[in-house]
């Protein structure tokens, strides 16, 4: 898709035809089954200082936590019992990530059942990525956030597009089902920048692509910036579906922070995955990337059960399949 066509679709007066087309394509490829990924947010320690994120190192008001191995395993077990076919291990970028113990955890989680394990642990060495893959990790999620070099460097101090992209390519080369994504509505992100981000994302050999709207966090430098618009995030979701028919595309949690039915709207714009947090009380509220994230003071089973009911009410069926991306299979078939 040409950047100008993407831009026009982002700005068109009526987005309903776009949503309908994306939904119909999702129905043809995935039906109404929604893959479920249970996210275990096991540590909110982070060495980085991304301007948009509440976990940034400079946020001294945040109470930091790290779950021990048994607590992580309990949360993973809860995810499996709740019907998730994938467990995602996610954390801030820890200063002293223990490569070996994360590897041990991957093996123990894989033995819980017929499930996939996704890692979302940020930037690490190629050796670490290879080791975790050899321990059984199936997927890795590393978001570009934006491909715009100037915006990326400004909002992600000390980081740049080229290095991040090289890491995403390393993950693909190592054989991970690789996911990436962007934040829509970042301050100074024009429709042209967003259109270019969507085009570049769609040019990568990704199995999973995520877009979520920016939500300002009070303990960050962007506290006074305007939030992203949900409509724009939904249009971006629909455009990604049209450009990536077989990719796994989540209805991101950030949509729910802007609208009580945000995730249903994401599915109705062509998404086919949900990624509920299964991080246990009382620490889950401490994984406060943006306001509203993990805010409900309730047990995990209740929160997830309600979300699953919401999906059924909206005409979808929560699936317990591992939900591997047909994109990878299609690529492999093309290579032989
Ligand atoms: N609003 C929306 N998404 C955010 N993320 C981080 N901060 C925010 C925010 N303020 C997303 C980024 C990151 C993931 C941990 O959460 O995409 O990769
Ligand atoms: Fe750390 Fe990720 Fe937040 Fe950046 S976005 S501050 S790397 S947790």
């Amino acid at each position: 898709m040409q950047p100008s066509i993407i831009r026009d679709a982002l700005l068109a007066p009526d987005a309903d035809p776009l949503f309908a087309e994306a939904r119909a394509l999702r129905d043809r490829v995935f039906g109404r089954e929604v893959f479920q990924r249970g996210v275990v947010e096991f540590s909110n320690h982070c060495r980085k200082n991304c301007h948009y994120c509440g976990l940034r190192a400079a946020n001294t008001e945040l109470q930091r936590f790290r779950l021990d191995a048994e607590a992580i395993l309990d949360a993973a077990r809860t995810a499996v019992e709740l019907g998730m076919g994938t467990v995602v291990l996610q954390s801030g970028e820890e200063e002293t990530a223990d490569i070996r113990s994360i590897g041990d955890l991957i093996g123990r989680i894989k033995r819980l059942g017929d499930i996939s394990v996704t890692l979302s642990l940020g930037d690490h060495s190629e050796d670490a990525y290879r080791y975790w893959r050899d321990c059984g990790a199936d997927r890795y999620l590393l978001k570009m956030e934006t491909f715009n070099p100037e915006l990326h460097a400004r909002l992600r101090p000390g980081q740049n597009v080229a290095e991040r992209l090289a890491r995403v390519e390393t993950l693909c080369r190592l054989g991970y089902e690789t996911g990436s994504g962007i934040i829509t509505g970042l301050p100074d992100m024009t429709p042209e920048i967003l259109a270019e981000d969507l085009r570049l994302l769609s040019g990568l050999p990704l199995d999973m692509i995520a877009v979520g709207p920016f939500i300002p966090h009070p303990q960050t430098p962007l506290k006074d910036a305007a939030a992203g618009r949900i409509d724009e995030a939904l249009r971006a979701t629909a455009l990604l579906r049209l450009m990536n028919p077989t990719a796994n595309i989540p209805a991101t949690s950030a949509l729910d922070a802007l609208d009580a039915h945000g995730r249903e709207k994401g599915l109705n714009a062509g998404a086919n995955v949900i990624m509920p947090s299964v991080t246990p009380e009382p620490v889950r509220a401490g994984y406060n990337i943006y306001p509203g994230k993990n805010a409900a003071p309730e047990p995990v089973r209740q929160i997830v059960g309600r979300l699953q009911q919401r999906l059924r009410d909206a005409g979808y069926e929560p699936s317990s399949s591992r939900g591997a991306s047909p994109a990878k299979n299609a690529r492999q078939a093309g290579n032989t």
Side-chain angles (χ1 to χ4, degrees), residues 50-55 90-91 120 141-145 156 164 181-184 186 210 212-217 220 222 254 287 289-291 293:
C50 305
H51 280 200
Y52 40 78
C53 177
L55 306 193
Q90 187 173 79
S91 67
S120 176
L141 175 55
L142 192 71
K143 294 197 191 169
M144 289 301 300
E145 318 295 5
R156 297 172 47 79
R164 190 77 164 177
I182 54 161
I183 305 175
T184 62
L186 284 167
F214 164 66
I215 297 161
H217 188 292
T220 65
L222 298 180
Y287 207 76
I289 297 177
Y290 49 78
K293 167 94 180 117

Side-chain angles (χ1 to χ4, degrees), residues 55-249:
L55 306 193
R56 64 201 308 270
N59 180 7
T60 51
E61 289 173 60
L62 180 67
Q63 204 178 337
R64 306 279 168 172
F65 71 87
R66 182 180 292 111
L67 296 179
D68 64 24
E70 293 314 314
I72 297 172
L73 225 76
D74 277 349
R77 209 172 284 120
T78 301
V80 175
E81 285 167 11
L82 286 166
M84 316 268 141
T86 297
V87 171
V88 184
L89 282 179
Q90 187 173 79
S91 67
E93 227 173 272
E94 297 202 284
E95 194 77 62
T96 52
D98 185 338
I99 309 295
R100 297 271 153 195
S101 29
I102 289 171
D104 290 346
L105 267 171
I106 294 166
R108 293 177 73 187
I109 293 174
K110 289 284 287 189
R111 288 193 287 277
L112 290 176
D114 179 21
I115 52 164
S116 290
V117 168
T118 301
L119 304 180
S120 176
L121 310 173
D123 293 341
H124 292 280
S125 69
E126 179 167 341
D127 283 348
Y129 290 155
R130 187 179 299 106
Y131 177 71
W132 291 332
R133 179 204 63 189
D134 292 344
C135 291
D138 303 276
R139 309 189 183 127
Y140 205 102
L141 175 55
L142 192 71
K143 294 197 191 169
M144 289 301 300
E145 318 295 5
T146 175
F147 288 80
N148 182 271
E150 192 273 328
L151 198 56
H152 191 109
R154 180 148 46 92
L155 297 181
R156 297 172 47 79
Q159 309 171 68
N160 66 62
V161 171
E163 283 177 22
R164 190 77 164 177
L165 190 55
R167 283 210 165 78
V168 171
E169 285 165 349
T170 298
L171 291 164
C172 293
R173 178 164 44 77
L174 289 172
Y176 281 100
E177 285 176 57
T178 306
S180 191
I182 54 161
I183 305 175
T184 62
L186 284 167
D188 297 325
M189 186 183 232
T190 60
E192 287 75 18
I193 292 177
L194 175 54
E196 183 65 356
D197 278 349
L198 296 174
R199 191 182 70 83
L200 291 169
L201 266 180
S202 303
L204 297 174
L206 296 173
D207 299 285
M208 191 280 235
I209 313 182
V211 281
F214 164 66
I215 297 161
H217 188 292
Q219 287 146 12
T220 65
L222 298 180
K223 61 178 188 292
D224 296 322
R229 288 180 302 110
I230 186 165
D231 172 72
E232 184 180 60
L234 293 171
R235 287 175 191 230
T237 301
L239 284 160
L240 283 175
R241 169 57 66 213
L242 296 181
M243 291 188 278
N244 306 275
T246 59
N248 281 320
I249 299 180

Side-chain angles (χ1 to χ4, degrees), residues 252-295:
T252 45
S253 320
L255 293 170
D256 265 359
L258 293 180
D259 183 313
H261 293 289
R263 275 169 162 140
E264 292 93 322
K265 290 181 180 177
L267 295 173
N268 286 337
N272 70 309
V273 174
I274 55 163
M275 304 182 68
S277 163
V278 294
T279 307
E281 288 223 84
V283 297
R284 56 185 280 118
Y287 207 76
N288 189 232
I289 297 177
Y290 49 78
K293 167 94 180 117
N294 292 359

